[in-house]
Amino acid sequence: MTSMVYNRQRAVAYANRYWNSHHPAYLLFDDDCTNFVSQCLYAGGMPMVFGSRNQGWWYRRDHRNHQWSFSWAVAHSLYQFLKKGGSTGRCRMVGSAGELLLGDVICYDWEGDGRFNHNTIVTAYDADGQPLVNAHTQNSLHRRWEYRDSPAWTPQTRYVFFRIE
């Protein structure tokens, strides 16, 4: 496991800077939520772990050639990566949104079938202390974490909350 200090302010600053655009060093995906969250985590200092497309958590660019791991850009793959502790071994699930800090991650399973479809990053809090999130795909700035206003939301929606230690 890699030793690092996660800089929540840098992750949030990145999320607030690029919530409605994309950083030119990265590709913009049609479903860009996980790519965006990964960029935010990386901006906060989470180290990349290189491996095959099926292993690690990474993004590479040389000249015009972009490559990435599934966990960098696929919602369910990032969920699995964080569930295993992330690149530091210090990412952990917590029981509620109220336990999240700025720069933490929420994973969304719209159908409640165990396959996660969306990811967001906590960037602020509302007046009641509930997390607000930024996201891509449907670009969002300081959106309520429950996402009940999303056309993807269903009554079966399941959430998993990850604290980046």
Side-chain angles (χ1 to χ4, degrees):
M1 303 301 158
T2 303
S3 174
M4 69 107 195
V5 175
Y6 182 56
N7 187 321
R8 296 174 179 286
Q9 289 73 30
R10 281 185 35 213
V12 169
Y14 187 96
N16 287 334
R17 163 68 179 88
Y18 290 105
W19 75 271
N20 201 29
S21 64
H22 84 282
H23 192 291
Y26 300 94
L27 290 178
L28 178 63
F29 295 82
D30 288 338
D31 292 324
D32 198 54
C33 64
T34 304
N35 177 42
F36 173 69
V37 168
S38 289
Q39 290 173 43
C40 296
L41 294 173
Y42 184 62
M46 183 176 282
M48 290 187 194
V49 177
F50 291 93
S52 69
R53 290 204 64 174
N54 292 322
Q55 294 179 327
W57 175 77
W58 54 270
Y59 190 100
R60 275 187 266 230
R61 177 182 173 198
D62 53 7
H63 306 305
R64 294 182 187 197
N65 190 19
H66 296 260
Q67 297 176 328
W68 56 90
S69 64
F70 291 128
S71 60
W72 184 274
V74 177
H76 189 74
S77 296
L78 180 62
Y79 157 78
Q80 291 175 315
F81 181 71
L82 294 176
K83 185 177 175 184
K84 292 177 186 171
S87 57
T88 64
R90 296 182 305 179
C91 300
R92 66 179 177 90
M93 283 189 217
V94 295
S96 71
E99 297 176 65
L100 296 175
L101 302 175
L102 295 175
D104 286 340
V105 175
I106 303 175
C107 300
Y108 300 76
D109 168 6
W110 301 128
E111 299 83 18
D113 61 2
R115 184 124 188 110
F116 287 82
N117 318 95
H118 187 59
N119 295 302
T120 65
I121 185 166
V122 177
T123 54
Y125 300 96
D126 68 13
D128 296 324
Q130 288 297 305
L132 301 173
V133 297
N134 288 15
H136 271 195
T137 305
Q138 262 194 358
N139 294 352
S140 301
L141 174 69
H142 301 166
R143 188 174 186 169
R144 288 196 52 88
W145 71 268
E146 299 96 335
Y147 253 71
R148 289 181 186 237
D149 60 341
S150 169
W153 187 89
T154 70
Q156 292 76 36
T157 296
R158 183 173 154 232
Y159 308 95
V160 173
F161 312 105
F162 284 104
R163 169 82 63 82
I164 313 299
E165 301 290 353

